[in-house]
Amino acid sequence: MGYCMPRTAYVNPIIIACQPTPLETTNGQISGPVAWGAQGEVELYARVIPTEVSDVYQPHEVKSKYYKRDEGQGVMYASNNDLYRANAAAWHDSLQAWTAPTPPKAEDIPEVCRKEMVAWDKLATEVAETVMELLSQGLGLEAWKLKELKCSDSRAFVGHCYPYCPQPDLTVGITSHTDPGVVTVLQQNHVPGLQVKRADEWVNVNPVPGGLIINVGDFLQILSNGEYKSVQHRVLANSYKEARIFIVMFFNVKKGKDCYYGPLPELLSPEKPAIYEKFTMQEYLENFYCKGLDSKSMIGKITIQN
Ligand SMILES: O=C(O)CCC(=O)C(=O)O
Ligand SMILES: [Fe+2]
């Protein structure tokens, strides 16, 4: 991925976008730093968003092969991956694939989106790694720091489909949550629905042609000792007569289950002590898989109370 401006010019907008200051909004829509992602060469990535990725309108015989509930590897097609852990179901179906460190066999990926999923994995990884370099620099660290921690070595693809919901005021598309990993790269079709919470207000993130959205996840909030904040977001139930399609790539550190993680030591000093306790990846995964998406995240559990 190339840069249209000197690289340093990208660091400040990234820092601003990852901090909890209210964003500039115009009529309730986001503008300013977050809209940065929509420019320049990112256009290219818009081309890999075929509506078929959702797989949702495939015949039952094709889909049923992927109906399963064992998360963490392979390919899974499900209505709400947290269906049995959450208090209520939301109005979407998803195709999920764990693409790294162990990618699914090509023949295990639905044929209708095999090529696209592989392309999206590659392109989203390039984007995420570039953003991680800027995020490292934004913390005053060497650009390679987050890469060294293997922050893009565990990846999950998700293709969400939010079909038309006849009574959208009675449910949600995806319940309010923060993403658990380091960063998430997302791309949506033209049907709106995503909202982020800023200064206690829900703000619409309307589709921008050719734009990508990058979410900071809980893991990055912890590594950065709270310098970057994971973003609370939700999706409204789809009131439009066509499906809302959203493709997502989640990036997390490779799972050394007994390894301890916590705020990066380089960021700590007597003036800036750790605000989170250390935890193992095992604890982190158990916390994620024992609850619905909306429940309190790991951050609440490990915050050091003064
Ligand atoms: O569909 C969207 O806009 C967001 C999806 C999402 O938040 C997620 O998969 O974690
Ligand atoms: Fe999310």
Side-chain angles (χ1 to χ4, degrees):
M1 188 171 159
Y3 294 92
C4 333
M5 297 188 285
R7 191 187 164 104
T8 44
Y10 295 89
V11 176
N12 267 342
I14 287 249
I15 299 170
I16 296 165
C18 297
Q19 288 175 339
T21 42
L23 289 169
E24 292 162 46
T25 60
T26 316
N27 301 327
Q29 320 297 331
I30 283 188
S31 58
V34 158
W36 169 87
Q39 291 155 16
E41 70 268 20
V42 171
E43 278 296 323
L44 177 69
Y45 301 103
R47 291 191 218 134
V48 296
I49 185 167
T51 33
E52 312 88 279
V53 157
S54 79
D55 204 27
V56 77
Y57 297 120
Q58 295 296 301
H60 172 70
E61 312 78 73
V62 175
K63 288 192 292 189
S64 56
K65 194 171 143 209
Y66 304 100
Y67 291 153
K68 58 177 193 165
R69 290 268 157 211
D70 45 334
E71 294 166 82
Q73 58 181 352
V75 181
M76 173 177 120
Y77 182 70
S79 167
N80 295 204
N81 68 331
D82 64 347
L83 193 63
Y84 296 112
R85 311 191 293 266
N87 293 330
W91 201 264
H92 72 268
D93 285 348
S94 315
L95 176 69
Q96 256 176 280
W98 285 268
T99 58
T102 315
K105 289 194 212 111
E107 61 271 26
D108 291 341
I109 303 175
E111 206 184 335
V112 68
C113 60
R114 195 173 289 157
K115 253 190 7 250
E116 288 80 4
M117 194 190 286
V118 172
W120 175 239
D121 183 36
K122 187 166 173 287
L123 295 172
T125 303
E126 259 180 73
V127 172
E129 289 185 343
T130 306
V131 169
M132 283 185 208
E133 288 180 11
L134 298 169
L135 288 166
S136 298
Q137 290 179 302
L139 292 170
L141 304 172
E142 299 286 355
W144 42 260
K145 187 67 205 178
L146 291 172
K147 185 143 176 41
E148 183 197 57
L149 291 169
K150 302 192 182 303
C151 285
S152 57
D153 286 14
S154 175
R155 298 194 293 278
F157 162 91
V158 181
H160 289 299
C161 178
Y162 303 84
Y164 166 63
C165 175
Q167 290 183 286
D169 44 335
L170 296 185
T171 184
V172 287
I174 276 193
T175 190
S176 161
H177 66 282
T178 53
D179 293 341
V182 178
V183 294
T184 315
V185 179
L186 315 99
Q187 188 169 80
Q188 53 187 335
N189 72 350
H190 56 282
V191 181
L194 178 64
Q195 296 189 319
V196 295
K197 202 168 206 180
R198 285 285 173 157
D200 275 342
E201 300 268 334
W202 285 110
V203 179
N204 296 327
V205 184
N206 282 341
V208 175
L212 296 178
I213 296 165
I214 317 276
N215 284 350
V216 170
D218 292 345
F219 212 97
L220 182 56
Q221 178 167 336
I222 299 165
L223 290 178
S224 72
N225 200 32
E227 282 298 314
Y228 296 142
K229 297 278 190 259
S230 58
V231 61
Q232 190 82 29
H233 54 289
R234 68 178 185 187
V235 177
L236 301 176
N238 180 10
S239 58
Y240 297 83
K241 287 269 163 73
E242 54 185 319
R244 175 169 186 273
I245 306 296
F246 208 96
I247 57 173
V248 188
M249 192 64 75
F250 293 97
F251 293 84
N252 210 343
V253 294
K254 199 163 142 194
K255 302 162 188 118
K257 287 208 168 159
D258 299 326
C259 260
Y260 274 90
Y261 294 94
L264 293 171
E266 298 88 324
L267 301 178
L268 305 180
S269 66
E271 297 74 46
K272 283 195 175 168
I275 58 172
Y276 305 114
E277 285 162 18
K278 290 190 175 154
F279 58 90
T280 62
M281 189 49 107
Q282 178 81 20
E283 289 166 331
Y284 185 78
L285 293 172
E286 277 168 13
N287 175 72
F288 181 69
Y289 285 121
C290 76
K291 61 174 187 56
L293 209 55
D294 56 340
S295 321
K296 207 161 189 260
S297 72
M298 188 75 187
I299 295 211
K301 288 194 179 165
I302 61 168
T303 300
I304 298 171
Q305 311 290 344
N306 289 316

